[in-house]
Amino acid sequence: MYIDELMLFGYRGIAGIVALVLAALVLRSNDWREQLYAGMVFVPFVLRALGVK
Amino acid sequence: MTAVIRGWLILAAAVAIVWASGTLFHAMQEREPIYPGAGVTRIAALSDYVPSLRGTAADTPVYMLEGRQPGPTLLLFGGTHPQEVSGVLAAVIVVENVQVERGRLIVIPHSNQSGFTYTEPLEAFPHDFEIPGASGARRFRLGMRLTNPLDQWPDPDIYVHYPSKEPLIGSEARNLNRAYPGRADGRYTERLAHAVLTLARQEKVNVVLDMHEAYPEYPIINMIVAHERAFEIGTMTAVALQARGIAMNIMASPKNLHGLSHREFGDHTQAQALLSETANPGMGRFRGRTDATLIVEGKDDNYVAAAKLKRLFVPFDASGHPLSSRVARQIATIEELLNAYNDANAEAGFKLSGLPEYDAVRTKGLGAFLASAR
């Protein structure tokens, strides 16, 4: 496996972790603004984690 | 509403956006179908010539139209710049209609497959366009001039062409028509260029025609650009087209401008190399609303106004430059180029049938010469 492929999978893994943290924040926060902003930022991180970018 | 219910609703909306954008992204990766006509004797792949391309985005079908009698070989490119759609459509029409009796046509309709998978951000380009036909419409993708950054990234500040060492702006590192002759161990676009050139060498191609488009305010339009070894047949082609009332001029390939097909195929293979350009208002900076209608009908009031101000290099009135006329011009160029090659060479030349007539393509429309979608 090439080093750039390893780096790509590492990048996707990190993006996936961030997406999970954002999803947890959306579900656990009591502030609607925090929930909305976390939901918006969740989208590009999921796309990156799935390789759709 | 409780925070938990609100959270689930926001998350559901975010997932819906992810699904919609993911679906759109994957649709852009799908390759548009081509339905080979009876004249196609074999479908090869670029990776047959350079196996390291197999499984990569750079691999693309190579359509062989071989005559029963041996003769010369024409290599025809569309989609070197996927946004320049008249070349793509002309190549598809050749694949779906032409039968070769003597000689051989090798056609690559999607030369830079990667460029078909995206459109330029912030330019509002449609992703595709439709050509109506008798039994339904055919959909074609509108790509971009350069390799998708997903396949080659990042761009250098300055792209240094190999082997000439000519410096170019960094983004041109993703331009197939600045990458020839390419190299086997280069980046995506250089490897693609190397594969196409390898094909031309191995198949002992006699003539190369790379079909392009440019915007109406660009001086090199309705033009054939010819390498010095192809200048004679290029001039004969232009004269024959002009005699038919099809305004097409000829210019010499600049010797100090590297990476272009007309320069590098001429310098690095045995082929006589030429490039053709038609005028596409959908690519220019003066264009107004950019949608599939502009791509297909080629009408734009801004360009009519620009023509009145003498800012263009082609006539432009309310009838515009429809895609059918631009494709007809490319096909007429192929026809006259084959005639010119036959006239200039004593040995038996090309003989083929099924190439649509210039007037027929303009009047009947492209749909009459495209196979029905299956």
Side-chain angles (χ1 to χ4, degrees):
Chain A
M1 184 178 282
Y2 292 112
I3 186 73
D4 54 350
E5 284 182 342
L6 275 174
M7 289 174 69
L8 179 65
F9 285 122
Y11 169 76
R12 288 181 181 172
I14 293 167
I17 291 167
V18 174
L20 285 174
V21 171
L22 288 164
L25 184 61
V26 170
L27 295 176
R28 296 177 68 173
S29 173
N30 290 319
D31 182 346
W32 70 268
R33 282 167 298 193
E34 210 168 79
Q35 287 179 303
L36 180 64
Y37 300 153
M40 289 165 68
V41 179
F42 168 81
V43 172
F45 277 95
V46 173
L47 290 172
R48 280 164 173 74
L50 295 173
V52 186
K53 184 67 182 173
Chain B
M1 188 190 297
T2 67
V4 173
I5 294 173
R6 190 171 58 227
W8 278 109
L9 288 175
I10 290 173
L11 206 53
V15 169
I17 294 169
V18 167
W19 180 83
S21 50
T23 304
L24 186 63
F25 177 86
H26 280 294
M28 293 172 76
Q29 312 301 312
E30 286 175 11
R31 298 188 173 194
E32 63 199 16
I34 294 176
Y35 306 105
V40 175
T41 48
R42 186 162 59 93
I43 303 174
L46 212 47
S47 58
D48 295 345
Y49 300 88
V50 177
S52 63
L53 289 191
R54 192 154 289 131
T56 71
D59 203 5
T60 189
V62 178
Y63 296 88
M64 302 284 188
L65 291 81
E66 297 156 312
R68 288 178 189 275
Q69 303 170 51
T73 299
L74 167 70
L75 175 57
L76 194 61
F77 300 139
T80 294
H81 295 151
Q83 178 186 18
E84 299 167 16
V85 288
S86 79
V88 180
L89 267 292
V92 170
I93 285 176
V94 168
V95 168
E96 297 186 356
N97 292 272
V98 169
Q99 297 193 46
V100 179
E101 293 173 42
R102 187 172 57 232
R104 183 169 58 151
L105 302 190
I106 302 177
V107 188
I108 309 179
H110 297 142
S111 298
N112 190 354
Q113 190 75 59
S114 170
F116 286 87
T117 61
Y118 80 118
T119 53
E120 207 165 299
L122 306 180
E123 290 281 351
F125 284 111
H127 288 170
D128 49 25
F129 58 93
E130 281 189 348
I131 304 295
S135 53
R138 280 275 295 272
R139 187 172 287 272
F140 292 90
R141 282 204 46 77
L142 179 73
M144 282 295 110
R145 183 169 181 265
L146 305 175
T147 294
N148 191 331
L150 287 175
D151 295 314
Q152 183 177 314
W153 184 88
D155 291 337
D157 289 337
I158 297 172
Y159 163 52
V160 180
H161 172 259
Y162 173 85
S164 73
K165 297 185 179 169
E166 180 183 333
L168 294 156
I169 189 169
S171 60
E172 292 291 77
R174 289 184 286 121
N175 183 349
L176 176 57
N177 207 29
R178 299 293 181 281
Y180 294 115
R183 48 184 160 181
D185 58 351
R187 301 176 80 195
Y188 171 98
T189 311
E190 286 180 316
R191 283 186 280 128
L192 172 59
H194 166 74
V196 178
L197 203 97
T198 302
L199 180 157
R201 281 185 184 139
Q202 288 187 11
E203 297 292 349
K204 296 182 171 50
V205 167
N206 301 91
V207 192
V208 170
L209 179 63
D210 187 8
M211 296 182 288
H212 286 252
E213 290 197 290
Y215 36 93
E217 61 268 36
Y218 187 64
I220 304 170
I221 37 177
N222 289 349
M223 188 80 78
I224 296 166
V225 187
H227 187 267
E228 51 273 19
R229 287 194 294 106
F231 204 73
E232 182 186 350
I233 60 169
T235 304
M236 290 163 68
T237 304
V239 168
L241 289 168
Q242 288 175 12
R244 290 170 60 179
I246 305 168
M248 202 74 169
N249 289 315
I250 177 89
M251 72 168 279
S253 168
K255 288 185 178 177
N256 57 351
L257 187 55
H258 291 97
L260 295 109
S261 57
H262 50 76
R263 168 54 38 206
E264 306 299 346
F265 278 82
D267 284 354
H268 294 274
T269 76
Q270 68 290 339
Q272 298 181 64
L274 305 98
L275 180 149
S276 58
E277 296 269 12
T278 57
N280 179 355
M283 297 167 59
R285 301 317 308 174
F286 295 160
R287 72 180 191 274
R289 182 174 179 175
T290 308
D291 56 13
T293 306
L294 174 61
I295 305 301
V296 176
E297 296 185 4
K299 297 175 184 172
D300 191 304
D301 291 341
N302 293 356
Y303 274 104
V304 176
K308 287 176 182 165
L309 294 169
K310 302 187 188 307
R311 297 294 180 192
L312 305 183
F313 290 87
V314 284
F316 206 108
D317 58 23
S319 60
H321 284 242
L323 181 55
S324 55
S325 292
R326 285 143 47 200
V327 173
R329 187 179 290 268
Q330 297 280 17
I331 290 174
T333 301
I334 297 168
E335 179 188 352
E336 294 300 346
L337 176 61
L338 297 180
N339 290 339
Y341 182 89
N342 290 349
D343 289 344
N345 290 276
E347 68 270 21
F350 295 98
K351 190 175 180 187
L352 50 86
S353 60
L355 193 65
E357 290 286 332
Y358 174 74
D359 288 330
V361 177
R362 295 179 77 206
T363 54
K364 293 180 183 174
L366 297 172
F369 302 98
L370 290 168
S372 301
R374 299 193 275 269

